[in-house]
Amino acid sequence: MLVYDMVVRERRALAETLGRLTADELRQPSLCAGWTMHDIAAHLTTYLTFGQVKLYLGIMATAADIDRINVVLTRRAARRPTAELIDTLRRHADARTTIPRSGFDPVLTDAILHDLDIRRPLGIVREVAEEPRWVAFNHLARNPALGYAKGPRLGQLELTATDTGWRYGAGVPVRGTAEALLLAMSGRDDGWDELDGDGVPLLRERVRNRPQFHPVRRLAMAANVLINPPPADRRSRTATAPPRTPITPG
C-alpha cells in the first residue's frame, strides 16, 4: 500500500474514534502534553486545508519552530465544535499538504502517534496494520522531519521491538513493543513500564531534557532541508513491513 493511502485510512479511522467519544471523554487529557482529546481533533484538521505556501510562511515567521506553529494553529482550530472538526477530518482525509520536502512519512507518523494519544488514556483497543507502524518507526529512527528532529536522542542505543523484531541502532539495549518504542521515540511520557534494557534510563533522560535549539540553528536546519534536493519518493511510495520475528524480552 502507498504511504499516502495509509495516511487517508488513518485519518478516517481517527475520525471514527473521535466520533464515538462522549463529551466528557473529549475533555480528558491526551498523551500529547497540554492537549485534550478535543485539541487533538483540532490539531488533526490544521493542515488539511492550510496549503503549502502558508506552511512555508509559518516556518519563516516562527524561525522554524514547528511546535509553536502547531500550538498556534491548534488553539485557533480548537474554537470550533468537535463535531465540526470531525466532519472536516472526514471530508478532507485525502488532503496532500506535507511538511516541506518531507513527503507523507511524517504525516503518517503524526496520525499514528495521535491515534495512540487518544486511545491509550481511554483504553480503546484498535487493530492497526503493521505497515503504518513500520513507516512511523523508520521515520522517527532514521530520518525525522522538521518537528521531530530533536537532537541525538537515539545515539548509542539499540532499539528492539519485541513483538515484531524491528531493530534500529547499535549500543545499549532498549527493548519493548513497537507501540511502546514509538511513544518513547516521539517523546511521549508514557509506556516506560513497557520497556526494559540498560538503555531505558538514558533514553528517558534524553526525552525529558531534549535540546532547545537557538532560532538561528532552527532556521539553518530548515534551510538545509529546503535547499537540498527532495527525495525521489517524497510524495508517496509502497511500504511493506518486514516479516515478524518476535523476540523474547530479557
mmCIF file of all heavy atoms in Angstrom, residues 5-52:
data_model
loop_
_atom_site.group_PDB
_atom_site.id
_atom_site.type_symbol
_atom_site.label_atom_id
_atom_site.label_comp_id
_atom_site.label_asym_id
_atom_site.label_seq_id
_atom_site.Cartn_x
_atom_site.Cartn_y
_atom_site.Cartn_z
ATOM 1 N N ASP A 5 -1.924 6.435 0.872
ATOM 2 C CA ASP A 5 -3.167 5.717 1.134
ATOM 3 C C ASP A 5 -3.291 5.350 2.609
ATOM 4 O O ASP A 5 -4.401 5.332 3.167
ATOM 5 C CB ASP A 5 -3.245 4.452 0.273
ATOM 6 C CG ASP A 5 -3.362 4.777 -1.209
ATOM 7 O OD1 ASP A 5 -3.931 5.843 -1.543
ATOM 8 O OD2 ASP A 5 -2.883 3.977 -2.036
ATOM 9 N N MET A 6 -2.159 5.052 3.255
ATOM 10 C CA MET A 6 -2.174 4.788 4.694
ATOM 11 C C MET A 6 -2.599 6.037 5.466
ATOM 12 O O MET A 6 -3.342 5.955 6.453
ATOM 13 C CB MET A 6 -0.790 4.342 5.167
ATOM 14 C CG MET A 6 -0.298 3.042 4.590
ATOM 15 S SD MET A 6 1.360 2.665 5.242
ATOM 16 C CE MET A 6 1.911 1.425 4.080
ATOM 17 N N VAL A 7 -2.127 7.201 5.018
ATOM 18 C CA VAL A 7 -2.497 8.462 5.662
ATOM 19 C C VAL A 7 -4.009 8.657 5.616
ATOM 20 O O VAL A 7 -4.648 8.973 6.624
ATOM 21 C CB VAL A 7 -1.782 9.654 4.982
ATOM 22 C CG1 VAL A 7 -2.357 10.975 5.482
ATOM 23 C CG2 VAL A 7 -0.286 9.601 5.229
ATOM 24 N N VAL A 8 -4.579 8.458 4.436
ATOM 25 C CA VAL A 8 -6.030 8.629 4.276
ATOM 26 C C VAL A 8 -6.786 7.664 5.184
ATOM 27 O O VAL A 8 -7.742 8.044 5.875
ATOM 28 C CB VAL A 8 -6.437 8.415 2.806
ATOM 29 C CG1 VAL A 8 -7.951 8.475 2.654
ATOM 30 C CG2 VAL A 8 -5.767 9.457 1.907
ATOM 31 N N ARG A 9 -6.337 6.416 5.219
ATOM 32 C CA ARG A 9 -7.005 5.405 6.042
ATOM 33 C C ARG A 9 -6.919 5.752 7.528
ATOM 34 O O ARG A 9 -7.911 5.627 8.261
ATOM 35 C CB ARG A 9 -6.371 4.030 5.794
ATOM 36 C CG ARG A 9 -7.065 2.886 6.533
ATOM 37 C CD ARG A 9 -6.474 1.549 6.163
ATOM 38 N NE ARG A 9 -5.080 1.437 6.538
ATOM 39 C CZ ARG A 9 -4.324 0.363 6.301
ATOM 40 N NH1 ARG A 9 -4.842 -0.666 5.647
ATOM 41 N NH2 ARG A 9 -3.071 0.326 6.673
ATOM 42 N N GLU A 10 -5.742 6.207 7.976
ATOM 43 C CA GLU A 10 -5.579 6.537 9.394
ATOM 44 C C GLU A 10 -6.407 7.759 9.784
ATOM 45 O O GLU A 10 -6.961 7.822 10.883
ATOM 46 C CB GLU A 10 -4.103 6.764 9.713
ATOM 47 C CG GLU A 10 -3.261 5.502 9.695
ATOM 48 C CD GLU A 10 -3.784 4.442 10.649
ATOM 49 O OE1 GLU A 10 -4.040 4.784 11.835
ATOM 50 O OE2 GLU A 10 -3.952 3.290 10.219
ATOM 51 N N ARG A 11 -6.500 8.732 8.901
ATOM 52 C CA ARG A 11 -7.334 9.909 9.204
ATOM 53 C C ARG A 11 -8.797 9.510 9.364
ATOM 54 O O ARG A 11 -9.490 9.985 10.282
ATOM 55 C CB ARG A 11 -7.187 10.950 8.093
ATOM 56 C CG ARG A 11 -5.898 11.753 8.153
ATOM 57 C CD ARG A 11 -5.764 12.622 6.925
ATOM 58 N NE ARG A 11 -4.612 13.514 7.006
ATOM 59 C CZ ARG A 11 -4.041 14.092 5.950
ATOM 60 N NH1 ARG A 11 -4.539 13.872 4.730
ATOM 61 N NH2 ARG A 11 -3.009 14.886 6.102
ATOM 62 N N ARG A 12 -9.267 8.636 8.486
ATOM 63 C CA ARG A 12 -10.659 8.195 8.588
ATOM 64 C C ARG A 12 -10.882 7.384 9.856
ATOM 65 O O ARG A 12 -11.936 7.509 10.508
ATOM 66 C CB ARG A 12 -11.027 7.388 7.345
ATOM 67 C CG ARG A 12 -11.145 8.261 6.095
ATOM 68 C CD ARG A 12 -11.327 7.450 4.828
ATOM 69 N NE ARG A 12 -11.538 8.329 3.677
ATOM 70 C CZ ARG A 12 -11.380 7.953 2.407
ATOM 71 N NH1 ARG A 12 -10.988 6.709 2.129
ATOM 72 N NH2 ARG A 12 -11.584 8.810 1.433
ATOM 73 N N ALA A 13 -9.918 6.567 10.230
ATOM 74 C CA ALA A 13 -10.035 5.797 11.469
ATOM 75 C C ALA A 13 -10.043 6.721 12.682
ATOM 76 O O ALA A 13 -10.795 6.498 13.643
ATOM 77 C CB ALA A 13 -8.880 4.796 11.571
ATOM 78 N N LEU A 14 -9.217 7.760 12.645
ATOM 79 C CA LEU A 14 -9.209 8.744 13.732
ATOM 80 C C LEU A 14 -10.551 9.457 13.845
ATOM 81 O O LEU A 14 -11.055 9.692 14.956
ATOM 82 C CB LEU A 14 -8.091 9.760 13.501
ATOM 83 C CG LEU A 14 -6.696 9.323 13.932
ATOM 84 C CD1 LEU A 14 -5.632 10.142 13.214
ATOM 85 C CD2 LEU A 14 -6.540 9.474 15.448
ATOM 86 N N ALA A 15 -11.126 9.806 12.715
ATOM 87 C CA ALA A 15 -12.442 10.457 12.725
ATOM 88 C C ALA A 15 -13.485 9.543 13.360
ATOM 89 O O ALA A 15 -14.338 10.003 14.140
ATOM 90 C CB ALA A 15 -12.851 10.841 11.309
ATOM 91 N N GLU A 16 -13.419 8.251 13.051
ATOM 92 C CA GLU A 16 -14.377 7.310 13.629
ATOM 93 C C GLU A 16 -14.173 7.187 15.138
ATOM 94 O O GLU A 16 -15.145 7.150 15.909
ATOM 95 C CB GLU A 16 -14.236 5.935 12.963
ATOM 96 C CG GLU A 16 -14.669 5.895 11.512
ATOM 97 C CD GLU A 16 -16.086 6.405 11.332
ATOM 98 O OE1 GLU A 16 -16.988 5.952 12.067
ATOM 99 O OE2 GLU A 16 -16.283 7.279 10.456
ATOM 100 N N THR A 17 -12.918 7.117 15.566
ATOM 101 C CA THR A 17 -12.639 7.018 17.002
ATOM 102 C C THR A 17 -13.130 8.258 17.735
ATOM 103 O O THR A 17 -13.811 8.171 18.771
ATOM 104 C CB THR A 17 -11.124 6.839 17.244
ATOM 105 O OG1 THR A 17 -10.688 5.627 16.647
ATOM 106 C CG2 THR A 17 -10.810 6.799 18.732
ATOM 107 N N LEU A 18 -12.793 9.425 17.215
ATOM 108 C CA LEU A 18 -13.214 10.678 17.846
ATOM 109 C C LEU A 18 -14.738 10.810 17.860
ATOM 110 O O LEU A 18 -15.317 11.323 18.822
ATOM 111 C CB LEU A 18 -12.591 11.860 17.115
ATOM 112 C CG LEU A 18 -11.089 12.059 17.335
ATOM 113 C CD1 LEU A 18 -10.500 12.972 16.257
ATOM 114 C CD2 LEU A 18 -10.828 12.639 18.729
ATOM 115 N N GLY A 19 -15.388 10.334 16.798
ATOM 116 C CA GLY A 19 -16.838 10.445 16.705
ATOM 117 C C GLY A 19 -17.575 9.615 17.734
ATOM 118 O O GLY A 19 -18.752 9.878 18.006
ATOM 119 N N ARG A 20 -16.892 8.617 18.308
ATOM 120 C CA ARG A 20 -17.530 7.768 19.314
ATOM 121 C C ARG A 20 -17.303 8.252 20.742
ATOM 122 O O ARG A 20 -17.853 7.687 21.685
ATOM 123 C CB ARG A 20 -17.019 6.329 19.173
ATOM 124 C CG ARG A 20 -17.516 5.620 17.919
ATOM 125 C CD ARG A 20 -17.247 4.124 17.983
ATOM 126 N NE ARG A 20 -15.816 3.839 17.965
ATOM 127 C CZ ARG A 20 -15.117 3.596 16.857
ATOM 128 N NH1 ARG A 20 -15.727 3.625 15.673
ATOM 129 N NH2 ARG A 20 -13.834 3.324 16.914
ATOM 130 N N LEU A 21 -16.479 9.291 20.909
ATOM 131 C CA LEU A 21 -16.177 9.773 22.256
ATOM 132 C C LEU A 21 -17.322 10.607 22.820
ATOM 133 O O LEU A 21 -17.988 11.346 22.098
ATOM 134 C CB LEU A 21 -14.893 10.600 22.255
ATOM 135 C CG LEU A 21 -13.612 9.900 21.768
ATOM 136 C CD1 LEU A 21 -12.416 10.808 21.993
ATOM 137 C CD2 LEU A 21 -13.415 8.561 22.457
ATOM 138 N N THR A 22 -17.522 10.492 24.130
ATOM 139 C CA THR A 22 -18.524 11.304 24.802
ATOM 140 C C THR A 22 -17.963 12.701 25.060
ATOM 141 O O THR A 22 -16.740 12.938 24.941
ATOM 142 C CB THR A 22 -18.921 10.674 26.141
ATOM 143 O OG1 THR A 22 -17.779 10.703 27.030
ATOM 144 C CG2 THR A 22 -19.389 9.234 25.956
ATOM 145 N N ALA A 23 -18.840 13.613 25.462
ATOM 146 C CA ALA A 23 -18.394 14.975 25.769
ATOM 147 C C ALA A 23 -17.375 14.968 26.889
ATOM 148 O O ALA A 23 -16.400 15.729 26.872
ATOM 149 C CB ALA A 23 -19.600 15.849 26.129
ATOM 150 N N ASP A 24 -17.572 14.105 27.879
ATOM 151 C CA ASP A 24 -16.621 14.017 28.988
ATOM 152 C C ASP A 24 -15.280 13.477 28.517
ATOM 153 O O ASP A 24 -14.224 13.978 28.915
ATOM 154 C CB ASP A 24 -17.181 13.122 30.090
ATOM 155 C CG ASP A 24 -16.234 13.008 31.275
ATOM 156 O OD1 ASP A 24 -15.974 14.051 31.925
ATOM 157 O OD2 ASP A 24 -15.733 11.895 31.536
ATOM 158 N N GLU A 25 -15.296 12.463 27.657
ATOM 159 C CA GLU A 25 -14.045 11.898 27.149
ATOM 160 C C GLU A 25 -13.285 12.914 26.309
ATOM 161 O O GLU A 25 -12.045 12.953 26.346
ATOM 162 C CB GLU A 25 -14.343 10.647 26.331
ATOM 163 C CG GLU A 25 -14.760 9.454 27.179
ATOM 164 C CD GLU A 25 -15.224 8.275 26.356
ATOM 165 O OE1 GLU A 25 -15.747 8.502 25.228
ATOM 166 O OE2 GLU A 25 -15.080 7.129 26.808
ATOM 167 N N LEU A 26 -13.984 13.738 25.560
ATOM 168 C CA LEU A 26 -13.322 14.748 24.732
ATOM 169 C C LEU A 26 -12.596 15.789 25.564
ATOM 170 O O LEU A 26 -11.669 16.442 25.090
ATOM 171 C CB LEU A 26 -14.350 15.435 23.831
ATOM 172 C CG LEU A 26 -14.876 14.592 22.665
ATOM 173 C CD1 LEU A 26 -16.120 15.219 22.063
ATOM 174 C CD2 LEU A 26 -13.788 14.414 21.602
ATOM 175 N N ARG A 27 -13.011 15.941 26.816
ATOM 176 C CA ARG A 27 -12.344 16.902 27.714
ATOM 177 C C ARG A 27 -11.170 16.276 28.458
ATOM 178 O O ARG A 27 -10.431 16.987 29.142
ATOM 179 C CB ARG A 27 -13.352 17.458 28.727
ATOM 180 C CG ARG A 27 -14.404 18.381 28.130
ATOM 181 C CD ARG A 27 -15.200 19.080 29.212
ATOM 182 N NE ARG A 27 -16.060 18.148 29.941
ATOM 183 C CZ ARG A 27 -17.331 17.904 29.625
ATOM 184 N NH1 ARG A 27 -17.880 18.514 28.583
ATOM 185 N NH2 ARG A 27 -18.047 17.048 30.332
ATOM 186 N N GLN A 28 -10.975 14.971 28.326
ATOM 187 C CA GLN A 28 -9.906 14.287 29.049
ATOM 188 C C GLN A 28 -8.542 14.630 28.438
ATOM 189 O O GLN A 28 -8.428 14.862 27.232
ATOM 190 C CB GLN A 28 -10.122 12.773 29.004
ATOM 191 C CG GLN A 28 -11.396 12.291 29.658
ATOM 192 C CD GLN A 28 -11.443 12.637 31.134
ATOM 193 O OE1 GLN A 28 -10.476 12.428 31.863
ATOM 194 N NE2 GLN A 28 -12.561 13.196 31.570
ATOM 195 N N PRO A 29 -7.497 14.647 29.264
ATOM 196 C CA PRO A 29 -6.151 14.895 28.716
ATOM 197 C C PRO A 29 -5.675 13.729 27.856
ATOM 198 O O PRO A 29 -5.908 12.566 28.187
ATOM 199 C CB PRO A 29 -5.289 15.054 29.969
ATOM 200 C CG PRO A 29 -6.037 14.366 31.059
ATOM 201 C CD PRO A 29 -7.491 14.515 30.731
ATOM 202 N N SER A 30 -5.025 14.053 26.765
ATOM 203 C CA SER A 30 -4.432 13.032 25.897
ATOM 204 C C SER A 30 -2.990 12.794 26.334
ATOM 205 O O SER A 30 -2.508 13.406 27.285
ATOM 206 C CB SER A 30 -4.473 13.501 24.449
ATOM 207 O OG SER A 30 -3.521 14.538 24.244
ATOM 208 N N LEU A 31 -2.290 11.928 25.628
ATOM 209 C CA LEU A 31 -0.868 11.719 25.911
ATOM 210 C C LEU A 31 -0.015 12.863 25.406
ATOM 211 O O LEU A 31 1.144 12.997 25.793
ATOM 212 C CB LEU A 31 -0.378 10.419 25.272
ATOM 213 C CG LEU A 31 -0.959 9.107 25.791
ATOM 214 C CD1 LEU A 31 -0.244 7.936 25.132
ATOM 215 C CD2 LEU A 31 -0.868 9.017 27.302
ATOM 216 N N CYS A 32 -0.559 13.682 24.519
ATOM 217 C CA CYS A 32 0.168 14.824 23.981
ATOM 218 C C CYS A 32 0.079 15.955 25.004
ATOM 219 O O CYS A 32 -1.006 16.490 25.261
ATOM 220 C CB CYS A 32 -0.440 15.244 22.644
ATOM 221 S SG CYS A 32 0.635 16.297 21.662
ATOM 222 N N ALA A 33 1.198 16.295 25.605
ATOM 223 C CA ALA A 33 1.226 17.196 26.753
ATOM 224 C C ALA A 33 0.452 18.489 26.508
ATOM 225 O O ALA A 33 0.704 19.192 25.528
ATOM 226 C CB ALA A 33 2.671 17.517 27.126
ATOM 227 N N GLY A 34 -0.495 18.770 27.402
ATOM 228 C CA GLY A 34 -1.244 20.016 27.345
ATOM 229 C C GLY A 34 -2.463 19.999 26.451
ATOM 230 O O GLY A 34 -3.210 20.986 26.410
ATOM 231 N N TRP A 35 -2.693 18.892 25.740
ATOM 232 C CA TRP A 35 -3.816 18.816 24.811
ATOM 233 C C TRP A 35 -4.857 17.817 25.284
ATOM 234 O O TRP A 35 -4.515 16.705 25.706
ATOM 235 C CB TRP A 35 -3.350 18.405 23.417
ATOM 236 C CG TRP A 35 -2.696 19.525 22.651
ATOM 237 C CD1 TRP A 35 -2.508 20.806 23.077
ATOM 238 C CD2 TRP A 35 -2.143 19.458 21.336
ATOM 239 N NE1 TRP A 35 -1.873 21.549 22.100
ATOM 240 C CE2 TRP A 35 -1.642 20.749 21.035
ATOM 241 C CE3 TRP A 35 -2.035 18.445 20.399
ATOM 242 C CZ2 TRP A 35 -1.026 21.030 19.815
ATOM 243 C CZ3 TRP A 35 -1.419 18.727 19.185
ATOM 244 C CH2 TRP A 35 -0.922 20.005 18.899
ATOM 245 N N THR A 36 -6.135 18.214 25.189
ATOM 246 C CA THR A 36 -7.242 17.296 25.427
ATOM 247 C C THR A 36 -7.522 16.506 24.151
ATOM 248 O O THR A 36 -6.923 16.757 23.100
ATOM 249 C CB THR A 36 -8.503 18.068 25.829
ATOM 250 O OG1 THR A 36 -8.905 18.890 24.708
ATOM 251 C CG2 THR A 36 -8.252 18.953 27.045
ATOM 252 N N MET A 37 -8.488 15.583 24.247
ATOM 253 C CA MET A 37 -8.894 14.841 23.055
ATOM 254 C C MET A 37 -9.486 15.799 22.008
ATOM 255 O O MET A 37 -9.260 15.631 20.804
ATOM 256 C CB MET A 37 -9.928 13.766 23.415
ATOM 257 C CG MET A 37 -9.479 12.804 24.499
ATOM 258 S SD MET A 37 -7.948 11.935 24.081
ATOM 259 C CE MET A 37 -7.627 11.071 25.619
ATOM 260 N N HIS A 38 -10.219 16.802 22.466
ATOM 261 C CA HIS A 38 -10.753 17.809 21.541
ATOM 262 C C HIS A 38 -9.614 18.554 20.848
ATOM 263 O O HIS A 38 -9.691 18.839 19.643
ATOM 264 C CB HIS A 38 -11.640 18.806 22.297
ATOM 265 C CG HIS A 38 -12.064 19.979 21.479
ATOM 266 N ND1 HIS A 38 -13.118 19.936 20.584
ATOM 267 C CD2 HIS A 38 -11.561 21.250 21.401
ATOM 268 C CE1 HIS A 38 -13.244 21.122 19.995
ATOM 269 N NE2 HIS A 38 -12.314 21.932 20.470
ATOM 270 N N ASP A 39 -8.557 18.884 21.590
ATOM 271 C CA ASP A 39 -7.413 19.571 20.994
ATOM 272 C C ASP A 39 -6.741 18.711 19.919
ATOM 273 O O ASP A 39 -6.278 19.238 18.890
ATOM 274 C CB ASP A 39 -6.387 19.943 22.069
ATOM 275 C CG ASP A 39 -6.906 20.977 23.049
ATOM 276 O OD1 ASP A 39 -7.729 21.817 22.639
ATOM 277 O OD2 ASP A 39 -6.493 20.936 24.227
ATOM 278 N N ILE A 40 -6.666 17.394 20.171
ATOM 279 C CA ILE A 40 -6.100 16.501 19.159
ATOM 280 C C ILE A 40 -6.933 16.563 17.884
ATOM 281 O O ILE A 40 -6.396 16.643 16.774
ATOM 282 C CB ILE A 40 -6.037 15.050 19.670
ATOM 283 C CG1 ILE A 40 -5.066 14.926 20.843
ATOM 284 C CG2 ILE A 40 -5.644 14.101 18.542
ATOM 285 C CD1 ILE A 40 -3.617 15.069 20.494
ATOM 286 N N ALA A 41 -8.261 16.539 18.048
ATOM 287 C CA ALA A 41 -9.143 16.654 16.881
ATOM 288 C C ALA A 41 -8.873 17.954 16.134
ATOM 289 O O ALA A 41 -8.814 17.981 14.894
ATOM 290 C CB ALA A 41 -10.603 16.585 17.318
ATOM 291 N N ALA A 42 -8.688 19.043 16.880
ATOM 292 C CA ALA A 42 -8.402 20.338 16.259
ATOM 293 C C ALA A 42 -7.076 20.293 15.507
ATOM 294 O O ALA A 42 -6.975 20.752 14.360
ATOM 295 C CB ALA A 42 -8.383 21.429 17.327
ATOM 296 N N HIS A 43 -6.055 19.747 16.141
ATOM 297 C CA HIS A 43 -4.739 19.672 15.508
ATOM 298 C C HIS A 43 -4.787 18.882 14.205
ATOM 299 O O HIS A 43 -4.167 19.267 13.203
ATOM 300 C CB HIS A 43 -3.734 19.028 16.461
ATOM 301 C CG HIS A 43 -2.438 18.653 15.806
ATOM 302 N ND1 HIS A 43 -1.532 19.585 15.365
ATOM 303 C CD2 HIS A 43 -1.921 17.436 15.492
ATOM 304 C CE1 HIS A 43 -0.494 18.969 14.812
ATOM 305 N NE2 HIS A 43 -0.714 17.666 14.869
ATOM 306 N N LEU A 44 -5.518 17.782 14.209
ATOM 307 C CA LEU A 44 -5.573 16.921 13.027
ATOM 308 C C LEU A 44 -6.173 17.622 11.810
ATOM 309 O O LEU A 44 -5.940 17.201 10.671
ATOM 310 C CB LEU A 44 -6.377 15.653 13.344
ATOM 311 C CG LEU A 44 -5.697 14.671 14.298
ATOM 312 C CD1 LEU A 44 -6.699 13.629 14.776
ATOM 313 C CD2 LEU A 44 -4.491 14.011 13.642
ATOM 314 N N THR A 45 -6.920 18.693 12.036
ATOM 315 C CA THR A 45 -7.524 19.417 10.911
ATOM 316 C C THR A 45 -6.679 20.581 10.419
ATOM 317 O O THR A 45 -6.961 21.140 9.349
ATOM 318 C CB THR A 45 -8.908 19.983 11.311
ATOM 319 O OG1 THR A 45 -8.744 21.032 12.286
ATOM 320 C CG2 THR A 45 -9.807 18.900 11.878
ATOM 321 N N THR A 46 -5.636 20.956 11.167
ATOM 322 C CA THR A 46 -4.971 22.232 10.901
ATOM 323 C C THR A 46 -4.312 22.326 9.533
ATOM 324 O O THR A 46 -4.314 23.390 8.916
ATOM 325 C CB THR A 46 -3.923 22.537 11.991
ATOM 326 O OG1 THR A 46 -3.042 21.406 12.122
ATOM 327 C CG2 THR A 46 -4.593 22.810 13.326
ATOM 328 N N TYR A 47 -3.735 21.230 9.037
ATOM 329 C CA TYR A 47 -3.016 21.294 7.765
ATOM 330 C C TYR A 47 -3.846 20.797 6.588
ATOM 331 O O TYR A 47 -3.388 20.848 5.444
ATOM 332 C CB TYR A 47 -1.721 20.484 7.850
ATOM 333 C CG TYR A 47 -0.723 21.038 8.826
ATOM 334 C CD1 TYR A 47 -0.418 20.352 10.004
ATOM 335 C CD2 TYR A 47 -0.100 22.265 8.606
ATOM 336 C CE1 TYR A 47 0.491 20.867 10.914
ATOM 337 C CE2 TYR A 47 0.812 22.775 9.507
ATOM 338 C CZ TYR A 47 1.102 22.071 10.663
ATOM 339 O OH TYR A 47 2.002 22.579 11.563
ATOM 340 N N LEU A 48 -5.053 20.322 6.850
ATOM 341 C CA LEU A 48 -5.831 19.710 5.770
ATOM 342 C C LEU A 48 -6.163 20.699 4.670
ATOM 343 O O LEU A 48 -6.136 20.362 3.485
ATOM 344 C CB LEU A 48 -7.123 19.107 6.339
ATOM 345 C CG LEU A 48 -6.947 17.988 7.366
ATOM 346 C CD1 LEU A 48 -8.308 17.443 7.779
ATOM 347 C CD2 LEU A 48 -6.075 16.867 6.818
ATOM 348 N N THR A 49 -6.496 21.923 5.045
ATOM 349 C CA THR A 49 -6.839 22.951 4.063
ATOM 350 C C THR A 49 -5.894 24.148 4.174
ATOM 351 O O THR A 49 -6.192 25.228 3.684
ATOM 352 C CB THR A 49 -8.296 23.432 4.261
ATOM 353 O OG1 THR A 49 -8.444 23.946 5.592
ATOM 354 C CG2 THR A 49 -9.271 22.286 4.075
ATOM 355 N N PHE A 50 -4.758 23.924 4.826
ATOM 356 C CA PHE A 50 -3.836 25.023 5.123
ATOM 357 C C PHE A 50 -3.061 25.473 3.897
ATOM 358 O O PHE A 50 -2.892 26.651 3.636
ATOM 359 C CB PHE A 50 -2.882 24.589 6.240
ATOM 360 C CG PHE A 50 -2.160 25.723 6.908
ATOM 361 C CD1 PHE A 50 -2.857 26.750 7.518
ATOM 362 C CD2 PHE A 50 -0.781 25.762 6.942
ATOM 363 C CE1 PHE A 50 -2.195 27.799 8.139
ATOM 364 C CE2 PHE A 50 -0.111 26.794 7.572
ATOM 365 C CZ PHE A 50 -0.823 27.814 8.170
ATOM 366 N N GLY A 51 -2.552 24.527 3.146
ATOM 367 C CA GLY A 51 -1.802 24.879 1.943
ATOM 368 C C GLY A 51 -0.310 24.996 2.200
ATOM 369 O O GLY A 51 0.132 25.442 3.261
ATOM 370 N N GLN A 52 0.457 24.609 1.216
ATOM 371 C CA GLN A 52 1.911 24.571 1.347
ATOM 372 C C GLN A 52 2.522 25.966 1.508
ATOM 373 O O GLN A 52 3.450 26.151 2.276
ATOM 374 C CB GLN A 52 2.507 23.880 0.116
ATOM 375 C CG GLN A 52 3.863 23.245 0.351
ATOM 376 C CD GLN A 52 3.751 21.907 1.063
ATOM 377 O OE1 GLN A 52 2.666 21.374 1.221
ATOM 378 N NE2 GLN A 52 4.880 21.380 1.490
#
